[in-house]
Amino acid sequence: MRHGKKFNHLGRTADHRQAMLANMAISLIMHKRITTTLAKAKELKKYVEPLITRSKDDSTNSRRVVFSYLQNKEAIKELFGPIAEKVGDRPGGYTRIIKLGYRQGDAAPIAFIELVDFDENMAKTPKAAKKTRRSRKSSAPKAEAPAAETAEAPAAEAAAAE
């Protein structure tokens, strides 16, 4: 029975799993997006989100704790630098998992895992209002009326000045 076993062991020993998750976390921090299996992405999310939360507080202790997990100075600099600045006001949910389908060789489900604030494609950009026939009909006369008033106003002022 598997009472009390609450995480996916990913078919690896504890040391192998810990090293793999650390390497994947470093890759995610350095590249902002990686492709992996869905099971590994879900485990990586649980592994890396507390580290990103820890990076919001840039103290010596926080850096030492995160370094004990990652063992990579460049990743620590990246995490406590640009990443911590971008996620400073976010209360959680720093990563996003996007399912991609199934791998050709063994039909394993594949997914992207990416840092939310660093994805330019999904960035919040102002979307144009959806145009319908009704809005076009009603907006066309309104657009012409102010233009006519503004064109007449300078002409009237010039006539009054003379």
Side-chain angles (χ1 to χ4, degrees):
M1 288 190 238
R2 53 181 315 271
H3 294 299
K5 297 183 180 181
K6 297 191 188 247
F7 63 93
N8 190 346
H9 296 279
L10 300 172
R12 288 162 171 79
T13 62
D15 290 337
H16 185 185
R17 186 173 52 252
Q18 193 240 341
M20 182 192 66
L21 288 172
N23 287 332
M24 290 174 67
I26 291 167
S27 296
L28 179 64
I29 289 167
M30 298 305 286
H31 301 293
K32 312 299 186 270
R33 171 191 277 186
I34 59 173
T35 305
T36 183
T37 62
L38 185 60
K40 287 179 189 174
K42 288 178 178 179
E43 286 302 310
L44 180 60
K45 183 172 188 153
K46 288 191 261 185
Y47 185 86
V48 80
E49 292 221 358
L51 300 179
I52 296 173
T53 301
R54 179 73 75 160
S55 74
K56 288 181 177 181
D57 175 33
D58 191 5
S59 64
T60 304
N61 184 55
S62 295
R63 284 180 177 266
R64 286 179 177 167
V65 169
V66 173
F67 185 77
S68 72
Y69 283 89
L70 298 181
Q71 299 289 318
N72 187 305
K73 289 181 183 179
E74 288 77 26
I76 300 295
K77 288 177 192 172
E78 185 76 17
L79 181 61
F80 281 86
I83 294 175
E85 290 173 13
K86 280 210 174 185
V87 301
D89 57 342
R90 183 179 285 274
Y94 312 112
T95 57
R96 174 189 300 128
I97 296 175
I98 300 172
K99 296 176 185 176
L100 296 176
Y102 298 94
R103 190 161 51 200
Q104 181 86 30
D106 60 355
I110 298 296
F112 273 141
I113 181 168
E114 63 186 2
L115 296 175
V116 172
D117 294 321
F118 288 89
D119 186 18
E120 295 82 21
N121 298 333
M122 296 268 198
K124 294 176 181 154
T125 56
K127 294 182 180 178
K130 184 179 177 184
K131 294 184 179 180
T132 60
R133 290 179 185 220
R134 185 171 296 177
S135 65
R136 275 189 265 146
K137 286 181 181 177
S138 62
S139 66
K142 290 180 184 176
E144 293 172 5
E149 292 172 6
T150 56
E152 294 171 2
E157 290 173 8
E162 291 178 4

